[in-house]
Amino acid sequence: LGDARPGFMLTCEQMLPGLPETGGLLRIVLDEPDTIAELGQYSASNPGNADRIRPLSLLSPAYVIYTSGSTGKPKGVMISYASLSNFLFAMQDQFMLGERDRLLAVTTIAFDISALEIYLPLLTGGAVAVARKISIQDPAELAELIQATGATVMQATPTLWHVLAA
């Protein structure tokens, strides 16, 4: 938190006990009744983009990942919409997902390859199912989840593939 210096923190009640002291940083607890009530006041079409300071561009940040990179010193790295789009379109050339595909996402959201698992199926008209950590750690449960979700694609580490195959 000290390095990243975020403007606020989104969380849920279950996570509050494990969070560090934030020194007055605004915490928005998504499942608190007051937050739910306030969010319920907004239109589903969300006209909030009218408040945007400037138009969205391909150079605008799509997300920020916190990494040590090659320097060993942790830092936030901005990934632009252009970079994310180029990556997704390049992967689409390789995987050729379509509207009948359903990708089972097994990569932690803290690892940026999860962007491939989440956005690529949606970009191509397909669907994404997100596996719970506990399901990924149990090969039998993961196999059942693949069947239950109708997954046609899953991207995983060689270790996970080996455990699943065994």
Side-chain angles (χ1 to χ4, degrees):
L1 289 172
D3 289 340
R5 293 177 291 157
F8 60 91
M9 178 188 298
L10 291 176
T11 190
C12 62
E13 287 186 22
Q14 180 183 357
M15 300 302 294
L16 287 174
L19 293 176
E21 178 53 45
T22 59
L25 177 68
L26 174 63
R27 290 184 184 181
I28 300 171
V29 183
L30 294 172
D31 53 354
E32 275 185 346
D34 289 347
T35 306
I36 293 169
E38 184 173 339
L39 291 173
Q41 296 176 22
Y42 292 96
S43 163
S45 62
N46 191 6
N49 285 340
D51 296 337
R52 189 178 297 276
I53 295 170
R54 60 182 172 268
L56 187 64
S57 83
L58 289 175
L59 298 178
S60 297
Y63 64 93
V64 175
I65 186 164
Y66 196 70
T67 179
S68 62
S70 59
T71 67
K73 183 177 183 203
K75 62 190 164 293
V77 177
M78 187 273 299
I79 307 301
S80 69
Y81 281 103
S83 295
L84 178 59
S85 298
N86 287 340
F87 172 64
L88 292 172
F89 287 124
M91 290 296 98
Q92 175 60 6
D93 286 345
Q94 298 297 312
F95 293 116
M96 296 181 277
L97 296 183
E99 62 186 36
R100 294 184 180 186
D101 285 305
R102 177 177 296 265
L103 188 143
L104 180 60
V106 296
T107 303
T108 175
I109 196 76
F111 187 43
D112 71 343
I113 199 67
S114 66
L116 170 71
E117 295 181 350
I118 295 168
Y119 301 124
L120 186 58
L122 301 177
L123 181 68
T124 61
V128 62
V130 179
R132 295 179 312 143
K133 182 177 180 179
I134 195 164
S135 300
I136 299 163
Q137 294 171 334
D138 180 344
E141 188 172 331
L142 181 57
E144 289 175 19
L145 187 58
I146 292 168
Q147 291 292 323
T149 61
T152 59
V153 179
M154 186 176 86
Q155 183 280 138
T157 63
T159 302
L160 183 56
W161 283 118
H162 178 70
V163 169
L164 186 60

